[in-house]
Amino acid sequence: MIKDKKSILIVDDDPAVLTIMKDELTSEGFEVDTAKDGRAGLQKTLQGNPDLVILDLMMPFMDGLEVLREIRADERCKDTAVMLLTQVGDKDKIAKAVELGVAGYLIKADYSTPEIIAKVKDLLG
Amino acid sequence: MPEIEFSEIIVSIVSLIMVSGGFWYFDRRSCQRKIEKTKKEMSDRLYELAILKELGERIGYSLNVENIIDVITGSLNQFIDYSVVSYILLQPEKLIFKARLEKSVSRDFLDDIKGRMTKSLSALTDHDLAKVPIEEVLSGALVLEESDLSANAYFNIPLVIADKLVGILTIADSRKIPYKEEEMTILYKLTAQASKAVSRLQEIVSTEQGKLSSMVQSMNEGLIMTDIDYRILTVNPSAKSILNLKDDPSIFDLIKKLDGKLNIRDRLEESLKLNKVFEFDNVEIETDKFYKILISPVKNKRALDQDKILGSVIIFRDVTIERELEVLKNDFTSMMVHELRTPVDGIKKIADLIIRRADQIDKEKIISDYAPLIRSSAGEMLRLVNNLLDASKIEAGKYEVIKASNDLRDLVKEKFNFYHPTAESENISLAYFVDKNIPDKFEFDRSAIGEVLTNLLSNSFKFTAEGGKVNLATALYDGVVDIKEQFIQAGIDIFDHLNEFKLDQKFIWVAVSDNGSGISSDKIPLMFNKFKQFRSSTETRKGTGLGLFISKGIIKEHGGEIFVFSEEGKGSTFMFTLPID
């Protein structure tokens, strides 16, 4: 069965980011789910295998890199597109994420919402 | 210091000259008859002073006995007649015989006085010096092949410095009349003065050397001195321990220890050849121990051999802590940037959303969804700024609590009510216990203690997962009740740390306990430090790390104590006490 709407999971512990991105991306016609920490994010990814995971790095209980590592280790989700949307500009973390395989790496405050939407649309074609 | 001594000598000489000058003037007017004699005496006296002045100057930069005696022998002929002035100095393996000829004398004359002097010295030292090699230096008039003049008038003065015999000084003449007592007195005075000056100077120098050496020995910095041939002269204890060197290490030991970190051989050579100071930052000598290494040529600052390079000094300064602070500072800056950017970016993006999608969103959604987000983001920023302000006040000792009669039960209840919705939404059970013996009112700063409670509760919620529990409790310890029982009743786990409480006095305790992730034992002592941020892959949490530092400051201002008890994987308890009469 071909899904008519592309699905996106947003994993972030900042309620503002979750609310804004969910409303924005829903308005753009995507099917959007949210998770407010790393553990919940991993669980939802493994269950639903969304078309795109938008992932924060600094989160309680399980940070973004760990979530990414677990996703890549899973047979079904190992090729799921993951885009990092975070405030952390740490070079080590970028390098590790790139090594694990990410479709994009955006620093939150450096990108406006329309720019982020454009990136998401690019990725989901 | 020798320089100070020298200026003292000059001052006393100048005043002596002035006083003598005044005397001289007075004498001349009053007593014509004595003029000639006085004149002679005065000029001798002035001359003596001039020699002493020169001695002072020389001694200022030299402790070399030979140089000093040369000053005396070089100008003695101005007031004593003699053919030869000579001295013998005792040296470790030899004797030095130096003679200055005012008149030409024969080789026999010289050998005669040399023999007599050696004999006198032998008697004085109680050692036969006849077989000891003698180094001879002659100056002044020519030595005659043959002459019938022999050393008829002759006298010796032992040279004593710091109560130690160093040699003998002799004047000799071919005249038949023996030396007069005044002449002997002058010579005696001069040598005695010189000896006294040198003795004092030696004392000062050795005191200074002692000070310098104990300073070098006790320095925190590692210090190694080498001569110009790279031989190690001094290694202080710090250098030994920094480099893990054995006693009396060679330059090769040093090269080996620094192999791969710093080419010390080449740097020493460059430093000596180019007369240049080299600095190397952050040389990691042992794992995680960083040093700043300074290599500098050592120059002679004394007048005679000015700027002659004597060797090198290598200094090792431990910069490990500075480096750590630098890392901490950078961490703090990036943390602050992150903590500020997040709410600012949130507010900006909400406003942007409302503007861009104005025709799609209804007013209710703005009020129910977006306005609260703006409010909480702004609140977060305000809290951050206030925290910074409080932390800097606490650090400067300027944080003041305003104590008033307040109800603690009411405050605890208020905080419980505030966190109740959070607990429900995160599926965490929040329990609450207030001891009935807590007084209705007592003195504390309500808003400050409220802030401490907020810090402790928000930390607990941050580190406790869904399904976990957080307990908030307070009770009075009256000095009688079993406090252990009290903790159990209130659901507070102190992980067997009862011994940390001072149970000989009354206090009120307030605790926030959780069964969250807990804190590893090595990190517990750092919990209340400013800007503590634990960096590990599983502990990347938001927050400034200032909350506990501020809490500690507030509790301290109240005369109480703050504790953390925790076990990794089991949970944490943060507790503070407030003294009560």
Side-chain angles (χ1 to χ4, degrees):
Chain A
M1 191 188 109
I2 300 161
K3 283 194 273 181
D4 54 345
K5 274 187 179 180
K6 297 269 185 185
S7 61
I8 298 173
L9 173 68
I10 307 165
V11 189
D12 203 305
D13 63 333
D14 182 353
V17 171
L18 291 181
T19 307
I20 299 159
M21 291 314 295
K22 184 178 180 177
D23 290 358
E24 293 272 12
L25 291 168
T26 306
S27 300
E28 295 296 325
F30 295 103
E31 191 186 299
V32 185
D33 195 4
T34 60
K36 66 178 169 55
D37 62 56
R39 205 182 284 166
L42 177 63
Q43 214 171 6
K44 284 191 172 178
T45 308
L46 298 182
Q47 275 166 10
N49 196 12
D51 296 308
L52 174 68
V53 179
I54 296 178
L55 189 63
D56 186 19
L57 277 183
M58 285 227 291
M59 286 183 295
F61 306 120
M62 193 184 240
D63 84 342
L65 271 181
E66 253 185 289
V67 174
L68 183 59
R69 203 171 286 130
E70 294 288 323
I71 291 173
R72 291 290 171 251
D74 184 88
E75 192 51 40
R76 277 183 325 130
C77 300
K78 66 180 196 308
D79 296 321
T80 302
V82 176
M83 187 176 87
L84 293 181
L85 180 62
T86 178
Q87 209 69 274
V88 181
D90 190 321
K91 279 185 189 124
D92 289 352
K93 295 210 164 168
I94 297 175
K96 271 183 200 157
V98 169
E99 210 174 285
L100 289 165
V102 286
Y105 189 107
L106 302 185
I107 303 295
K108 279 174 192 167
D110 293 350
Y111 290 84
S112 69
T113 313
E115 282 171 325
I116 297 170
I117 293 168
K119 286 268 176 192
V120 170
K121 283 183 171 168
D122 255 12
L123 282 174
L124 295 176
Chain B
M1 296 296 292
E3 285 78 7
I4 296 163
E5 284 298 306
F6 172 51
S7 60
E8 277 174 6
I9 291 171
I10 294 286
V11 169
S12 46
I13 287 167
V14 169
S15 48
L16 267 171
I17 291 171
M18 285 166 68
V19 171
S20 321
F23 256 114
W24 181 73
Y25 178 70
F26 186 73
D27 231 25
R28 189 181 174 191
R29 274 189 59 181
S30 64
C31 197
Q32 279 293 329
R33 210 163 51 86
K34 288 181 180 170
I35 278 179
E36 284 309 305
K37 198 187 170 201
T38 312
K39 244 185 175 173
K40 174 81 170 76
E41 270 174 23
M42 280 303 146
S43 82
D44 282 356
R45 178 79 186 121
L46 284 175
Y47 194 71
E48 258 179 71
L49 288 171
I51 291 174
L52 284 176
K53 178 180 171 289
E54 199 180 338
L55 275 175
E57 277 170 0
R58 291 241 180 165
I59 289 165
Y61 54 76
S62 169
L63 259 183
N64 190 328
V65 180
E66 229 176 300
N67 286 350
I68 294 157
I69 297 169
D70 283 345
V71 178
I72 300 174
T73 56
S75 30
L76 203 59
N77 63 343
Q78 309 264 349
F79 46 120
I80 306 176
D81 278 333
Y82 51 82
S83 308
V84 176
V85 58
S86 58
Y87 62 87
I88 290 183
L89 288 180
L90 291 161
Q91 299 283 300
E93 302 281 315
K94 63 180 180 191
L95 299 175
I96 292 175
F97 172 72
K98 241 177 162 178
R100 188 178 164 82
L101 281 59
E102 288 305 324
K103 298 163 195 160
S104 286
V105 293
S106 67
R107 186 66 241 179
D108 290 345
F109 186 107
L110 288 174
D111 287 342
D112 178 28
I113 56 169
K114 194 156 90 177
R116 286 206 240 175
M117 287 167 80
T118 314
K119 225 183 249 174
S120 303
L121 258 184
S122 297
L124 284 166
T125 57
D126 203 19
H127 278 94
D128 184 14
L129 300 171
K131 298 267 160 57
V132 178
I134 299 183
E135 204 181 284
E136 189 179 283
V137 182
L138 301 179
S139 61
L142 285 173
V143 180
L144 301 171
E145 280 295 312
E146 264 182 54
S147 158
D148 48 3
L149 298 173
S150 56
N152 296 321
Y154 168 97
F155 80 87
N156 278 331
I157 287 180
L159 297 167
V160 178
I161 284 167
D163 297 329
K164 212 180 132 210
L165 183 77
V166 297
I168 192 165
L169 181 84
T170 297
I171 54 172
D173 201 288
S174 55
R175 66 179 182 189
K176 295 268 163 52
I177 323 143
Y179 281 106
K180 279 181 284 180
E181 205 184 322
E182 299 131 63
E183 288 170 310
M184 290 193 227
T185 309
I186 286 175
L187 190 57
Y188 176 75
K189 257 198 213 161
L190 281 176
T191 52
Q193 290 274 29
S195 149
K196 213 169 113 189
V198 175
S199 303
R200 265 189 83 184
L201 199 70
Q202 270 188 349
E203 211 174 281
I204 291 159
V205 169
S206 79
T207 314
E208 291 302 322
Q209 272 174 345
K211 277 189 212 162
L212 197 69
S213 135
S214 53
M215 203 174 85
V216 167
Q217 292 301 307
S218 60
M219 263 167 77
N220 277 334
E221 281 85 4
L223 182 139
I224 294 178
M225 267 185 81
T226 70
D227 64 13
I228 47 167
D229 298 316
Y230 315 111
R231 276 186 298 251
I232 291 182
L233 302 175
T234 308
V235 182
N236 75 349
S238 295
K240 264 187 217 163
S241 90
I242 289 165
L243 295 158
N244 195 16
L245 291 170
K246 59 179 166 54
D247 286 338
D248 298 320
S250 72
I251 187 73
F252 301 107
D253 296 324
L254 183 63
I255 292 169
K256 217 172 123 192
K257 288 283 175 191
L258 292 173
D259 187 34
K261 291 151 192 157
L262 181 67
N263 187 341
I264 193 82
R265 173 68 180 74
D266 288 4
R267 295 294 90 78
L268 276 172
E269 192 177 342
E270 272 178 80
S271 168
L272 284 177
K273 283 197 177 140
L274 307 172
N275 188 8
K276 212 177 137 191
V277 178
F278 287 102
E279 269 184 40
F280 302 93
D281 283 317
N282 297 324
V283 180
E284 192 176 10
I285 293 180
E286 297 280 333
T287 313
D288 285 338
K289 291 294 271 177
F290 293 87
Y291 292 86
K292 181 183 193 134
I293 300 179
L294 187 134
I295 302 171
S296 168
V298 178
K299 279 181 258 179
N300 193 347
K301 292 285 177 204
R302 295 287 180 206
L304 262 189
D305 299 316
Q306 185 114 55
D307 290 344
K308 186 185 164 197
I309 293 175
L310 304 173
S312 298
V313 61
I314 312 162
I315 293 169
F316 300 83
R317 200 165 77 84
D318 192 340
V319 292
T320 311
I321 292 166
E322 274 102 321
R323 260 181 71 99
E324 276 170 12
L325 282 175
E326 186 69 25
V327 170
L328 203 64
K329 203 183 87 193
N330 290 340
D331 279 1
F332 180 70
T333 310
S334 57
M335 179 271 297
M336 284 304 296
V337 168
H338 176 265
E339 291 297 301
L340 270 172
R341 275 177 109 181
T342 302
V344 174
D345 185 47
I347 292 170
K348 181 176 163 272
K349 287 200 162 100
I350 294 164
D352 175 55
L353 188 157
I354 296 169
I355 294 163
R356 237 175 336 100
R357 300 192 192 272
D359 47 354
Q360 293 166 257
I361 336 164
D362 51 352
K363 204 174 157 189
E364 276 72 43
K365 193 169 172 64
I366 294 176
I367 294 164
S368 67
D369 288 13
Y370 301 145
L373 283 176
I374 293 174
R375 187 172 58 185
S376 68
S377 293
E380 222 175 283
M381 282 163 62
L382 193 63
R383 193 172 150 70
L384 183 71
V385 173
N386 286 340
N387 272 352
L388 270 181
L389 204 64
D390 285 348
S392 66
K393 274 186 194 163
I394 286 168
E395 209 168 36
K398 285 181 182 156
Y399 188 93
E400 276 178 38
V401 294
I402 303 150
K403 284 194 209 170
S405 184
N406 281 304
D407 185 349
L408 181 68
R409 282 184 287 204
D410 180 56
L411 177 65
V412 170
K413 179 84 186 159
E414 185 187 301
K415 291 294 162 189
F416 171 78
N417 288 339
F418 182 82
Y419 275 93
H420 195 69
T422 316
E424 275 195 338
S425 76
E426 296 190 3
N427 191 23
I428 289 170
S429 86
L430 176 62
Y432 149 82
F433 173 89
V434 175
D435 176 15
K436 61 178 182 344
N437 294 324
I438 293 214
D440 288 344
K441 297 242 166 157
F442 69 99
E443 295 267 307
F444 66 92
D445 184 329
R446 195 178 196 279
S447 93
I449 295 296
E451 198 187 331
V452 175
L453 279 171
T454 302
N455 281 330
L456 301 187
L457 281 162
S458 70
N459 271 347
S460 270
F461 278 101
K462 214 190 288 180
F463 292 95
T464 305
E466 254 183 76
K469 61 171 190 196
V470 173
N471 287 346
L472 170 61
T474 179
L476 168 75
Y477 173 72
D478 58 7
V480 182
V481 70
D482 183 353
I483 195 168
K484 204 174 163 187
E485 202 53 47
Q486 232 179 11
F487 288 144
I488 293 168
Q489 201 190 341
I492 301 298
D493 193 347
I494 58 160
F495 302 94
D496 295 327
H497 284 280
L498 203 62
N499 55 340
E500 292 194 28
F501 293 93
K502 294 186 196 97
L503 297 174
D504 55 346
Q505 57 207 36
K506 288 184 186 180
F507 56 81
I508 281 169
W509 59 261
V510 183
V512 176
S513 192
D514 65 60
N515 64 350
S517 49
I519 307 152
S520 67
S521 55
D522 57 320
K523 282 165 186 168
I524 288 177
L526 307 170
M527 287 312 287
F528 298 101
N529 283 7
K530 190 183 169 194
F531 310 146
K532 143 218 76 66
Q533 285 277 299
F534 301 131
R535 300 201 296 175
S536 80
S537 58
T538 53
E539 263 186 338
T540 40
R541 299 188 202 280
K542 292 171 183 175
T544 56
L546 288 173
L548 289 176
F549 176 77
I550 293 165
S551 299
K552 189 184 180 175
I554 290 170
I555 298 303
K556 221 176 123 192
E557 277 300 303
H558 277 84
E561 275 190 280
I562 192 159
F563 304 94
V564 53
F565 311 118
S566 182
E567 252 178 57
E568 206 166 7
K570 284 192 175 172
S572 311
T573 294
F574 283 84
M575 180 183 297
F576 62 87
T577 61
L578 296 172
I580 193 158
D581 302 328

